[in-house]
Amino acid sequence: MSELQQLVEAAAELVKQARTVSAFTGAGISTESGLADFRSPGGLWDRYRIVTYPEFLASSDARQEYWSMRRELIPTLLEASPNPAHEGLAELERRGKLTGVITQNIDGLHQEAGNSNVIELHGTNRSAACLNCGRRWPIEEIQLRLEADDLDPHCPGCDGLIKPETVSFGQSMPAAAMDAAYALAASSDLMLMIGSALEVHPAASVPPFAAENGARLIFINRTETPYDELAQIVCRESAGEFMTLLVEELET
Ligand SMILES: [Zn+2]
């Protein structure tokens, strides 16, 4: 039996024993959906400077820099589709095993795959909002304005600044999402962590918090994390392949 198959069988056993399973995901779960390239040399985030939240608020030049990058990023995110790792998590929810997904991703692919309880720690790229009056729009509507060279879009109602509902550098994490994540972690007796190096805090503290509260952990990530020793199972293989095999194994 291959090492992967052994890990899958051990993971399936933990899933069967668990009453409440949750998932925690990072960028690595979406690389198999073609969203890998942002941080690589020549990738989007290599060509644009990171505009912090205070800069965004302070200057039109900074906002135009920010939105120029988004004008390229938004279509890429909208064109991506869920891969077998997202679909595996959605299948676990349909079978009544998975109670929720906590994600660091802004791509909306968990909802597209069919998960209904998704806690987005870094917000979402699927919508934008007026920072003044709170009015919201699907990101597609803002993209049309960007493509018409309106690179500092303002709210038609109150002239406030419009920003994607993502959490920017220098912007505080949404307290409600963090609270919901900790509550879900504390109520889980198994957490599947997929595709995060667990380096960005406070989000990265969620899986160790689950472990402190009695949850077992399964880590599926290409690289080491600071919390590998807390996990019962650590797998470095493809998340899509692992989840496909896990769902199959649970049928037997
Ligand atoms: Zn407004």
Side-chain angles (χ1 to χ4, degrees):
M1 194 190 304
S2 72
E3 191 194 358
L4 177 60
Q5 190 59 36
Q6 287 178 23
L7 291 172
V8 166
E9 287 189 14
E13 202 48 48
L14 292 186
V15 173
K16 285 175 188 165
Q17 290 167 11
R19 283 171 296 110
T20 50
V21 183
S22 61
F24 179 96
T25 67
I29 195 172
S30 294
T31 56
E32 289 170 45
S33 294
L35 297 179
D37 299 327
F38 304 139
R39 287 175 191 79
S40 59
L44 204 47
W45 291 352
D46 204 33
R47 286 184 284 121
Y48 290 98
R49 193 178 66 84
I50 289 167
V51 175
T52 66
Y53 189 58
E55 288 171 333
F56 183 92
L57 295 180
S59 113
S60 180
D61 284 347
R63 289 192 291 279
Q64 292 186 44
E65 203 177 346
Y66 175 92
W67 283 113
S68 298
M69 189 270 233
R70 290 281 153 169
R71 182 166 61 177
E72 282 193 56
L73 175 65
I74 290 165
T76 309
L77 288 170
L78 290 176
E79 282 161 17
S81 303
N83 67 59
H86 298 103
E87 285 158 5
L89 291 178
E91 180 60 23
L92 290 184
E93 179 180 317
R94 278 190 288 276
R95 293 186 193 177
K97 268 292 180 186
L98 190 80
T99 51
V101 180
I102 301 160
T103 188
Q104 297 172 285
N105 298 339
I106 59 166
D107 55 37
L109 293 180
H110 288 299
Q111 291 92 328
E112 206 174 315
N115 282 111
S116 56
N117 179 22
V118 182
I119 300 166
E120 296 172 306
L121 297 179
H122 296 158
T124 179
N125 177 67
R126 296 288 174 113
S127 54
C130 171
L131 295 179
N132 183 47
C133 72
R135 185 172 161 188
R136 302 174 69 219
W137 299 268
I139 201 69
E140 289 89 339
E141 287 188 29
I142 306 303
Q143 180 68 9
L144 290 176
R145 292 178 64 175
L146 300 178
E147 284 171 4
D149 287 327
D150 179 5
L151 286 174
D152 184 9
H154 283 59
C155 175
C158 77
D159 203 38
L161 301 179
I162 295 174
K163 190 183 165 296
E165 292 194 291
T166 51
V167 179
S168 293
F169 289 90
Q171 190 174 14
S172 58
M173 298 278 286
M178 278 309 297
D179 289 349
Y182 284 125
L184 180 60
S187 70
S188 304
D189 46 25
L190 179 66
M191 180 176 275
L192 288 164
M193 190 292 284
I194 305 176
S196 175
L198 300 179
E199 282 167 346
V200 180
H201 285 272
S205 62
V206 172
F209 179 80
E212 280 167 30
N213 285 273
R216 289 163 158 175
L217 301 177
I218 297 172
F219 282 8
I220 305 144
N221 191 51
R222 292 286 188 184
T223 58
E224 271 181 41
T225 85
Y227 304 108
D228 282 0
E229 76 277 8
L230 297 177
Q232 275 67 39
I233 295 171
V234 176
C235 176
R236 303 249 179 268
E237 304 293 319
S238 148
E241 199 178 341
F242 185 95
M243 288 305 297
T244 301
L245 292 170
L246 178 63
V247 167
E248 283 172 13
E249 184 66 28
L250 288 168
E251 284 165 356
T252 60

